[in-house]
Amino acid sequence: MASKTATKDIITLRGSAAIVSEFFGYSANSILYNRGVYPEESFVKVKKYGLPMLLTQDEGLKSFIVNLTAQLSEWLESGKLQRVVLVIMSKATNEVLERWNFSIETDSEVVEQGVLREKSDKEIMREIQAIMRQIASSITYLPCLDEPCVFDVLAYTDKDVAVPFTWIESDPKLITNPEIVKLHSFDTKIHKVNTLVSYKNDEWDEQ
Amino acid sequence: MDAGSMGSSPNLKSQSRCPLQEQFLQRRNSRENLDRFIPNRSAMDFDFANMMLTEGRKGKENPAVSSPSREAYRKQLAEAMNMNRTRILAFKNKPPAPVEMFPREFSSLQQDKPAKPRRYIPQTSEKTLDAPDLVDDYYLNLLDWGSCNVLAIALANTVYLWDATNGSTSELVTFEDEVGSVTSVSWAPDGRHIAIGLDNSEVQLWDSTANKQLRTLRGCHRSRVGSLAWNNHILTTGGMDSCIVNNDVRIRSHIVETYRGHEQEVCGLKWSASGQQLASGGNDNLLHIWDRSVASSNSPTQWLHRLEDHTAAVKALAWCPFQGNLLASGGGGGDRCIKFWNTHTGACLNSVDTGSQVCALLWNKNERELLSSHGFTQNQLTLWKYPSMAKIAELTGHTSRVLYMAQSPDGCTVASAAGDETLRFWNVFGVPEVVKPAPKANPEPFAHLNRIR
């Protein structure tokens, strides 16, 4: 977490990367729970960001997310991560149904020169809380996912990043003619994360 | 030059020349090649002809040397293609499907590498050998370098072996005219046995150390066998009849499976390193990926992917050594692009217009680099950095399109042969004899197997 003294809220690059990658972990869990990709029984409630957040108990999924956030944290610290996309696809047809897009703007001055920034921890938590609430409420407008789904995570990085051998090149898995909803963003003053969700048009909406 | 194997005869056409001898004098006049016979196909290389007719002098405008303007042009092109600064990565191990539960192991993640000093790449060929009667046919595969460090090259009806450790040449076999000319050669993984594809549709298997023929595979094709690929004991043959046949060379009825899908001659054939997937390219501009599990199952089509993006014949194919399921393919004269594919999903990851017919592709086993060989107008070999596809070097020297390329077993040297009847060696992937000074401190296992000059 961000290192802070009692009076000042100083954020280091490492601290900010940790906040952002932790946010991904929780929001991925939240999306998977809310969209019903994984059975609800496999999630357990924990307290985070002042909200009851749901975390999966499935071992495979847990380790996947842990490794994912570890790698994202590393890329964030070097300023090479541009965005992270969580893609939900139909298990049967592999068609992309939903795309949760978290784009990241990094303050390059911090990456290159290692300066520190100031922002109150509470403020950041409040911004993240707002996004979490929005994700949870998104089920009111997102089309129902009736069929079994799987998900995947894509990372958009700078071209000069060395690909760790647990990652492979991929295509962007875009949706044709998507509906896009923009959610709140949060800013640690070092990394700014903008969230939006794009989903495939439900046939019912055409009318 | 060096004092190695010597043929004292200079390059005069009137005298009989010994093949694979050192050339003292370079060919001065490329017009000499025009007198060479054209192989007995009435239809020559359509791609080349098409390019000559439609593109004209386009190649001349671009300077051979990489200049700042080319950098800028490339950047523009890359931006237009929307991938200038970004690459998209997905986790290799997919997250578990819901309801299932299985543990996974992730190895430690690599750190970003510090910038390495550029190694020196010699701009000229290190060695040039004479290759008289080398057929200038785009669809054949006449050059291969075996794991025992012996190079095999087919000149008209004869297969010659050149031992890279001591530079000696020997003739393996000469076929009579009824059998026809040699259309492809391929070393088996053991480096001792060699498969020879012939114009009369047969494939012969020879033992190179005993200089003996082992068997003849008949009946796989109805016309010439232009491409070969080994997968352990399976020899896959691609023919002008557009069929691809898997032959088990150990058993009597050798035909195990036939892949149908191409509509014209199969000129490119490569198995992946895992031996699970086969890439094939044909004169019909198609690139097929065949997966052993899919082909044997009851799916409507035998192929896993049928990729139609190229607009010319696909002969150059190369699987990436450091990234599984990554395939590079190159198109002929009407296409001139190198395309990269994820063979799991069939997605095209990148496409680069090289400006010239792509005849062959080789990956560097030690660095993230790709070498491509080209035809009109420069007849150059281009070394690209992967994945940025920035040109690191362009090697010129050939005076005709560089149709055939092979890599030495130690991964340092590349041999290239062209219709100008020369076989050239380039130390483009590194310097043999020396332990690599790169961050990877692995000593080369074959460093002591160098050519003694």
Side-chain angles (χ1 to χ4, degrees):
Chain A
M1 291 295 285
S3 54
K4 52 183 194 284
T5 65
T7 48
K8 279 174 162 225
D9 291 321
I10 305 221
I11 311 223
T12 61
L13 176 60
R14 176 156 293 184
S16 175
I19 295 181
V20 178
S21 51
E22 197 181 42
F23 163 76
F24 286 136
Y26 280 97
S27 52
N29 270 287
S30 174
I31 293 170
L32 295 175
Y33 171 80
N34 280 302
R35 303 307 287 132
V37 182
Y38 286 84
E40 295 161 359
E41 313 79 70
S42 61
F43 288 84
V44 80
K45 246 186 240 188
V46 302
K47 205 96 165 69
K48 185 79 184 166
Y49 306 127
L51 292 171
M53 300 294 304
L54 288 136
L55 284 186
T56 180
Q57 292 300 102
D58 180 318
E59 284 305 323
L61 185 54
K62 250 206 282 203
S63 63
F64 175 85
I65 295 190
V66 159
N67 282 284
L68 172 72
T69 48
Q71 180 60 64
L72 294 182
S73 181
E74 197 187 304
W75 278 331
L76 283 165
E77 281 185 38
S78 57
K80 300 251 184 257
L81 191 61
Q82 293 173 13
R83 65 170 100 165
V84 182
V85 178
L86 190 137
V87 179
I88 298 183
M89 302 171 288
S90 153
K91 186 169 180 178
T93 65
N94 252 0
E95 187 196 358
V96 180
L97 300 171
E98 255 174 50
R99 248 178 140 248
W100 291 81
N101 183 88
F102 303 89
S103 51
I104 301 157
E105 292 163 28
T106 310
D107 189 342
S108 46
E109 194 192 343
V110 177
V111 178
E112 282 151 22
Q113 294 163 25
V115 297
L116 302 174
R117 293 268 186 258
E118 257 179 56
K119 185 154 180 182
S120 124
D121 212 29
K122 261 172 71 175
E123 178 77 26
I124 300 179
M125 291 303 122
R126 216 173 323 147
E127 290 177 10
I128 296 184
Q129 199 192 81
I131 302 181
M132 291 306 185
R133 283 193 206 271
Q134 276 194 313
I135 293 178
S137 63
S138 67
I139 56 173
T140 55
Y141 56 84
L142 289 174
C144 267
L145 296 175
D146 295 322
E147 44 182 339
C149 290
V150 289
F151 81 101
D152 200 358
V153 178
L154 305 174
Y156 285 59
T157 61
D158 283 353
K159 252 211 148 72
D160 53 359
V161 118
V163 182
F165 83 110
T166 44
W167 290 74
I168 47 171
E169 300 260 4
S170 170
D171 64 315
K173 298 199 199 297
L174 298 169
I175 305 179
T176 45
N177 292 331
E179 284 286 318
I180 304 184
V181 178
K182 194 167 176 339
L183 304 182
H184 287 321
S185 49
F186 80 94
D187 190 5
T188 64
K189 288 272 184 279
I190 298 181
H191 295 105
K192 179 157 190 264
V193 181
N194 298 306
T195 316
L196 67 84
V197 57
S198 51
Y199 57 94
K200 190 169 116 125
N201 259 320
D202 213 4
E203 294 85 59
W204 290 71
D205 291 348
E206 300 301 314
Q207 272 52 274
Chain B
M1 287 224 194
D2 38 23
S5 62
M6 279 304 90
S8 56
S9 59
N11 268 347
L12 299 177
K13 274 176 25 175
S14 52
Q15 285 180 294
S16 64
R17 285 145 50 197
C18 305
L20 300 183
Q21 295 300 316
E22 188 81 39
Q23 273 193 344
F24 282 118
L25 306 168
Q26 297 300 323
R27 283 192 174 269
R28 238 165 258 124
N29 196 350
S30 63
R31 284 175 61 82
E32 286 182 41
N33 288 333
L34 294 180
D35 292 334
R36 280 281 168 232
F37 71 88
I38 310 288
N40 56 1
R41 291 189 68 203
S42 55
M44 254 307 277
D45 181 13
F46 282 127
D47 307 302
F48 181 67
N50 181 45
M51 198 234 236
M52 291 289 280
L53 288 170
T54 56
E55 291 304 326
R57 298 283 146 207
K58 179 178 161 190
K60 288 251 164 72
E61 262 109 50
N62 298 328
V65 182
S66 202
S67 67
S69 60
R70 273 190 84 79
E71 294 293 323
Y73 173 68
R74 202 175 310 112
K75 278 210 183 74
Q76 294 273 13
L77 202 61
E79 274 182 52
M81 284 172 42
N82 212 18
M83 288 290 286
N84 56 333
R85 282 187 58 238
T86 315
R87 46 202 303 204
I88 304 174
L89 302 170
F91 220 52
K92 193 193 270 190
N93 287 322
K94 293 300 160 197
V99 170
E100 287 165 330
M101 206 140 77
F102 45 102
R104 354 177 148 268
E105 231 100 46
F106 292 112
S107 325
S108 62
L109 307 167
Q110 287 179 358
Q111 305 295 322
D112 279 350
K113 294 199 175 52
K116 296 186 271 249
R118 281 266 193 95
R119 71 172 184 280
Y120 169 65
I121 299 167
Q123 294 288 316
T124 53
S125 59
E126 191 220 323
K127 203 177 181 64
T128 305
L129 300 181
D130 213 12
D133 300 334
L134 183 68
V135 178
D136 183 34
D137 188 335
Y138 183 84
Y139 302 100
L140 307 184
N141 290 282
L142 303 179
L143 185 69
D144 196 20
W145 204 323
S147 56
C148 288
N149 211 11
V150 178
L151 184 80
I153 184 169
L155 305 178
N157 291 25
T158 311
V159 177
Y160 289 96
L161 303 179
W162 184 78
D163 191 339
T165 42
N166 55 24
S168 63
T169 309
S170 63
E171 180 187 317
L172 180 66
V173 57
T174 299
F175 297 100
E176 302 102 34
D177 285 330
E178 303 98 59
V179 177
S181 57
V182 180
T183 52
S184 52
V185 292
S186 183
W187 286 99
D190 65 356
R192 180 183 158 150
H193 298 97
I194 184 167
I196 304 175
L198 295 162
D199 197 49
N200 67 352
S201 83
E202 284 178 6
V203 177
Q204 294 198 4
L205 276 178
W206 283 71
D207 181 334
S208 63
T209 43
N211 270 17
K212 220 157 58 92
Q213 179 185 4
L214 295 174
R215 72 183 292 189
T216 305
L217 306 176
R218 291 191 183 84
C220 348
H221 293 280
R222 292 189 302 278
S223 40
R224 74 177 184 188
V225 181
S227 48
L228 299 167
W230 282 91
N231 182 359
N232 291 331
H233 51 262
I234 303 275
L235 173 64
T236 307
T237 58
M240 191 157 130
D241 58 1
S242 78
C243 288
I244 297 171
V245 179
N246 281 341
N247 300 281
D248 186 331
V249 299
R250 306 167 302 183
I251 59 183
R252 190 186 168 81
S253 57
H254 48 87
I255 298 182
V256 172
E257 203 163 5
T258 305
Y259 292 152
R260 284 173 225 284
H262 280 286
E263 292 149 16
Q264 291 185 48
E265 177 160 25
V266 179
C267 42
L269 209 56
K270 284 270 160 49
W271 279 100
S272 65
S274 62
Q276 185 63 23
Q277 290 186 323
L278 173 72
S280 68
N283 194 23
D284 46 10
N285 307 357
L286 294 175
L287 168 62
H288 281 108
I289 309 288
W290 314 85
D291 192 305
R292 298 187 82 173
S293 45
V294 170
S296 46
S297 66
N298 293 331
S299 50
T301 56
Q302 280 184 309
W303 59 78
L304 178 63
H305 297 295
R306 184 187 178 109
L307 306 165
E308 305 177 7
D309 293 37
H310 281 287
T311 56
V314 182
K315 178 190 172 189
L317 295 171
W319 291 90
C320 182
F322 50 83
Q323 208 168 307
N325 300 315
L326 178 65
L327 174 73
S329 64
D335 177 77
R336 302 182 296 279
C337 287
I338 299 177
K339 292 186 194 280
F340 297 90
W341 309 89
N342 176 331
T343 57
H344 244 6
T345 61
C348 180
L349 304 171
N350 198 1
S351 176
V352 177
D353 189 339
T354 63
S356 174
Q357 177 189 47
V358 183
C359 304
L361 287 172
L362 284 177
W363 287 92
N364 187 340
K365 293 182 200 161
N366 301 309
E367 311 282 341
R368 304 201 164 190
E369 293 168 358
L370 179 68
L371 183 71
S372 60
S373 73
H374 298 274
F376 183 80
T377 56
Q378 303 285 332
N379 309 315
Q380 81 276 26
L381 281 82
T382 309
L383 185 65
W384 309 84
K385 185 92 192 111
Y386 185 79
S388 60
M389 291 311 280
K391 273 193 208 179
I392 304 178
E394 276 194 349
L395 309 174
T396 49
H398 278 291
T399 53
S400 156
R401 54 192 182 158
V402 188
L403 288 175
Y404 319 110
M405 270 211 305
Q407 195 175 33
S408 63
D410 68 5
C412 298
T413 313
V414 169
S416 66
D420 60 4
E421 299 182 344
T422 57
L423 173 65
R424 288 170 198 258
F425 295 87
W426 315 80
N427 280 347
V428 60
F429 286 157
V431 182
E433 299 148 322
V434 178
V435 172
K436 295 235 177 302
K440 289 190 175 85
N442 298 325
E444 284 304 311
F446 295 109
H448 60 283
L449 274 189
N450 280 308
R451 285 167 277 117
I452 303 164
R453 324 256 188 108

